Amino acid sequence: MGKYTFFVLLLLGCYTAQAQITDITVNKENFESSGFPFKGKRVLQVEHIQTEKEDNYIIFSKEERGADPDRLYVQQFQRKDGMWVPIVEETVAEDGIITSVWESRKAFFDADKDGKLDAVFIYSRHPKDDVQKQLSCIALILYKGQFYRMRAEAEDGYTKTLYSDNYASLPAEVKENVERYWENLDKR
């Protein structure tokens, strides 16, 4: 009986080790000067995330301070044949608006158990002339090489959530994880 129990525990341990998502700490200043092909001049947030089936970098960057208009670049890279290849890229820019990345507000998971990264990142919008005033809070969801959004506005006390047009196409288990995170998030 002891050998059987050990074998079952060993198998469970191997399965758990393969199913996990690993977020590797990256020094932003060293990354900026590394030659990695990200857009922008300044790295605001960089995440090196490994899953059972992927090796990812998620990078939030901007041009130099004071650039007009303010542009937030969001990129996902994956290692393919030894090279870092962009999988999805997006630029967030609005006239008169500054975006701010919430570096400590993020979540990584694998809701559909496919061995690939599902992630939520938070950023906010501020008027250019008053960056202390927050206009809205946005959840940027990364799923299978595509971005989805949830958004709440300061003017209604963050009570109503608006969804991107493609949000409805997310699988139920991904929505469940994202919405649970969103509901518990202090959006102020």
Side-chain angles (χ1 to χ4, degrees), residues 128-179:
K128 185 177 180 177
D129 57 352
D130 185 4
V131 294
Q132 299 303 314
K133 179 181 179 183
Q134 183 174 300
L135 300 173
S136 54
C137 178
I138 296 100
L140 182 66
I141 300 118
L142 175 61
Y143 178 73
K144 294 193 186 277
Q146 196 170 11
F147 290 122
Y148 305 79
R149 285 185 173 72
M150 298 169 72
R151 179 172 166 161
E153 302 294 329
E155 73 181 12
D156 71 1
Y158 304 98
T159 58
K160 182 180 175 189
T161 299
L162 306 170
Y163 301 89
S164 60
D165 291 341
N166 64 348
Y167 185 85
S169 67
L170 281 170
E173 60 270 18
V174 175
K175 287 181 192 174
E176 184 179 307
N177 273 291
V178 168
E179 290 168 10

Side-chain angles (χ1 to χ4, degrees), residues 31-111:
F31 189 80
E32 281 180 354
S33 61
S34 71
F36 198 93
F38 66 91
K39 290 184 175 180
K41 305 278 188 247
R42 308 181 284 136
V43 173
L44 303 179
Q45 181 176 342
V46 59
E47 303 292 336
H48 185 188
I49 306 160
Q50 294 175 329
T51 68
E52 177 185 344
K53 296 183 178 177
E54 300 173 328
D55 193 2
N56 299 277
Y57 271 104
I58 313 298
I59 304 157
F60 291 78
S61 63
K62 286 189 174 188
E63 297 299 331
E64 55 280 330
R65 289 191 189 280
D68 191 17
D70 181 67
R71 284 188 174 87
L72 175 64
Y73 302 109
V74 186
Q75 298 173 279
Q76 177 189 16
F77 288 84
Q78 286 181 353
R79 187 186 303 268
K80 306 272 185 189
D81 299 324
M83 305 269 304
W84 288 103
V85 178
I87 300 302
V88 62
E89 299 180 355
E90 189 158 326
T91 302
V92 177
E94 294 178 72
D95 287 337
I97 298 293
I98 301 281
T99 54
S100 178
V101 177
W102 296 16
E103 190 172 353
S104 62
R105 302 289 195 264
K106 55 195 168 206
F108 310 118
F109 50 94
D110 182 10

